[in-house]
Structure formats: C-alpha cells, structure tokens
Amino acid sequence: MTDETGPWLVVGLGNPGREYAGNRHNVGFMAADLLAGRVGAKFGRHKRAVAEVAEGRLGFGGPRLVLVKPLTYMNLSGGPVASLAQFYKVPPAQVIAVHDELDIAYGQVRVKCGGGEGGHNGLRSMTKSLGTKEYVRVRFGIGRPPGRQDPADFVLSDFGAVERKELDFLVDRAADVVESVIVRGVEPTQNLYHGG
C-alpha cells in the first residue's frame, strides 16, 4: 500500500568516502546526487540515522522526496534506511533503492518491486532491516566482469573510459526512472523504459 500524502524514501546505495566515489557500486549515490540537484535540495547529516539526507518536492506541490545516502558501508545500509523509514513514516512500497546490477548489461536501467537480492549486499541488508522484500528497486546495469575477474573487485572498480562516455546519460535515465515510479507507478514505468 502507498500513502498518497506521505513522502517517498529514495535510497542511493553506495559506499561513503572519496576513494569509492567513481566505483560501479556507487551509481546509487550518483543518482541520488542528481535527484537532489533536480529538486534543489542539499544533503546534510541526519540526526536520527547514519546517513546523509536531502528533502524536496517533485515539481511545484508534487510528491515529497527524502533522498538518502547511507554513511555505513554497503553491507550495513539497511539500518539507516529502516530508521529513516520509521522516522518519516514511509511504508516499504514507497521505498526506492537505486543500485548497481551485475545481471543487467551496461546501458540498461530496469525497475521492479520485490524479488531476490541477486547477491547484492546493500539489498540484502535493506530486506533484513525493513523485514520485507516488497520495496522498489531501480536497477542500474553494470554487466558482468570481464574474464575471470572477481565480481567483488569489479563492483569496487571505477567505470572504464568507454563506459564513462555514457555514464552521465545513464545516471540521468536512472533519475528519470525514479521520478516515473513516483508519478506513474512501477508497471507504467516498466512499459515506458524497458523497451530499450
């Protein structure tokens, strides 16, 4: 169930610290930063959770957004998310996680509600802390690592030169998908964005 008047909690998953800023694992932070810019909000440390939060509205008088960047490492992201969901009284159906996805080719952004975590530690932590899988995921495809590279090393490496040419456009698309989920819903967004 969604609450028409309540805010949406949009969680960009990533690792804090400058050394991780350009990692594939940090596309959630990149999308959260872009969304904050779109709504004219600035991130600041929240008093009740180990996270940076930015608040704003989508358009004039539109839905409220609470943008979140957990300041724990990825595998502990769920604690701050659950604390903020409780603080802002946001039901799981209005929690959106933006994250990297190994099982989707680079250049594709997908959305779904619920389902498995696909080995993603940030999602696993969120599911455990929220007590449900029924939250929205905006999945930013990073593809599989080349050759025999360990997936853990791959997600913690920066995007390659060729990928970086498209990165801004794709982060922009991920932010568009988040806005579409809030305004239109998950299924209409899938119909709109899963074509290409």
Side-chain angles (χ1 to χ4, degrees), residues 59-172:
F60 182 73
R64 276 178 62 209
L65 284 189
V66 179
L67 301 163
V68 180
K69 294 193 294 185
L71 294 175
T72 55
Y73 286 96
M74 183 69 86
N75 60 342
L76 299 173
S77 303
V81 174
S83 296
L84 291 166
Q86 194 173 10
F87 180 80
Y88 290 101
K89 299 179 174 54
V90 179
Q94 278 174 231
V95 174
I96 303 174
V98 186
H99 65 92
D100 58 307
E101 177 62 70
L102 286 161
D103 293 326
I104 297 175
Y106 184 73
Q108 297 185 351
V109 179
R110 297 284 182 259
V111 63
K112 71 174 185 174
C113 186
E117 287 89 32
H120 195 289
N121 290 333
L123 294 178
R124 192 178 290 136
S125 178
M126 279 184 61
T127 296
K128 185 177 175 190
S129 295
L130 290 170
T132 180
K133 293 175 185 268
E134 297 306 307
Y135 54 91
V136 180
R137 297 98 185 274
V138 172
R139 307 155 76 207
F140 188 108
I142 60 169
R144 285 267 157 203
R148 292 192 165 158
Q149 186 180 5
D150 183 349
D153 293 335
F154 181 68
V155 299
L156 290 174
S157 62
D158 287 359
F159 287 99
V162 174
E163 292 171 320
R164 279 200 299 274
K165 288 179 183 162
E166 277 189 281
L167 185 59
D168 288 349
F169 166 77
L170 295 170
V171 171
D172 202 59

Side-chain angles (χ1 to χ4, degrees), residues 15-67:
N15 285 310
R18 195 174 297 156
E19 68 272 31
Y20 298 106
N23 288 181
R24 291 177 173 89
H25 224 19
N26 272 44
V27 292
F29 275 19
M30 296 172 198
D33 286 336
L34 182 64
L35 284 161
R38 286 186 182 183
V39 300
K42 289 210 178 334
F43 277 98
R45 185 69 188 260
H46 198 271
K47 60 184 181 289
R48 294 282 181 89
V50 186
E52 285 192 341
V53 169
E55 296 182 51
R57 284 191 181 274
L58 266 189
F60 182 73
R64 276 178 62 209
L65 284 189
V66 179
L67 301 163

